Amino acid sequence: MDGYSRALDVAHDHAVGWLDSLDQRPAPPQASIVEVMAALGTDLPDSGCPPEEAVALLARACDPGLTAMASGRFFGFVIGGTHPAALAADWLVSAWDQNSGLRTLTPAHSAVEDIASAWLLDLLGLPSQSAVGFTTGATMANFTGLAAGRDAVLRRAGWDVARRGLTGGPAVRVLVGAERHDTVDVALRYLGLGAPEVVGVDEQGRILPDALDAALGRGDAGPVLVVLQAGNIHSGACDPFVETVQTAHQHGAWVHVDGAFGLWAAASPDHRHLVEGYESADSWATDAHKTLNVPYDSGLCIVRDAGALQSAMGTHGAYLVRDEACQPLDKVPELSRRGRAIPVWAVLRCLGRDGVAELVERLCRHVTAFADALQTLPGVTVLNDVVFTQVCATFGSDERTDEVVKALLADGTTWMTGSTWHGQRVLRISVSNWSTTEADVERCMQAVRRVALAG
Ligand SMILES: *Cc1c(COP(=O)(O)O)cnc(C)c1O
């Protein structure tokens, strides 16, 4: 028992020290890969050491090479922090070490997963009979939802892909908006569906319903998947679901929604209108490690027709061959998997319905504060309608914007990423961390002012 206790004490001390340091430490890492490797030592040791020594060395060597992604001043990419309840529950997941693929093997995890699944469907306003798979992230959630969709549209066309594969079967058309996330293309590639047909979008990146309708009308009435988006990574905008889901269904399509962070608009009464009509789709992908602030890695795939998901992901392959409750392993690509539902449950239990809504609204308030403050700076233009958790701004020219992005990283107060949107270089701010405060926003805006007004 001492081996566990001493090693866990070292990990606990380091973790608390690390979390304490987040308020003050620079957002970017302070050591390079080579420096961290040197501190770790690269020669494989012939003889080992006690667990606590290995953990202490790891913590000491890695600390300067860590990026403060969990800090309230990190706004790069779309990166959530780690909520205290979720983090502590995640430690238990590792200590309990439950292989969570089979229901009866671990009643505790299955109970938690059942409750968390029902709460998620309730919070997100999705059909209560849907199956929920706990994946590693939205990439695999997209893959999983689209796998269920691919198999279902082929089944409707009389082709059993589980038995016959794709070769020789009817072609599956896939339609996506021009600003879908890259991981949708990756998922389609994994599924053997190749590159999708691209449909035009408006100035906020929302798919154009008329263009979708026209594109659907052009092809044969064969198997078709339509991928919509809740939460454009540059604008935060959501596709117009009311028109598009109906149009797609009229053409017999399976509709999948990539809502890695945007799906959470549904949990906030103030933002639910953004995803109006999305509940009529067939599958949805989202992340728990973004807006919900569960530690990596945690995604969710939700499929209306549980049998379609089970036949795509289950070990069996046949449609609704079993009538017993769907096993966790029937809903995700993995057989063995960690107890991913546990930290999700913990954060939901800790926040409650109102707390999740407040979390989403707080993230949006901070983004609006950033957008308002950015607009007051000379030469700065906010390019998007700020409707959710994302803002994109230019600083006059591409060169100037890139200079500001670079100078901000060198300053270290905050991390915001540079990107290209609609042919222009932009500074992208994504507010996804539960712990960001108004004071953090003000402190980071001071840094933006400092670098933007210098030079
Ligand atoms: C982050 C993101 C993804 C990919 O999610 P991972 O959790 O990184 O796999 C997919 N779609 C959108 C819109 C995203 O923001």
Side-chain angles (χ1 to χ4, degrees), residues 78 136-142 180-184 229-233 258-262 286-287 289-290 296 298-299:
V78 183
T136 49
T139 304
M140 288 318 284
N142 279 331
R180 81 280 179 198
H181 197 266
D182 290 341
T183 57
V184 169
Q229 176 168 262
N232 177 296
I233 56 163
D258 173 13
F261 63 94
T286 192
D287 270 318
H289 58 221
K290 289 178 178 168
Y296 291 104
S298 186

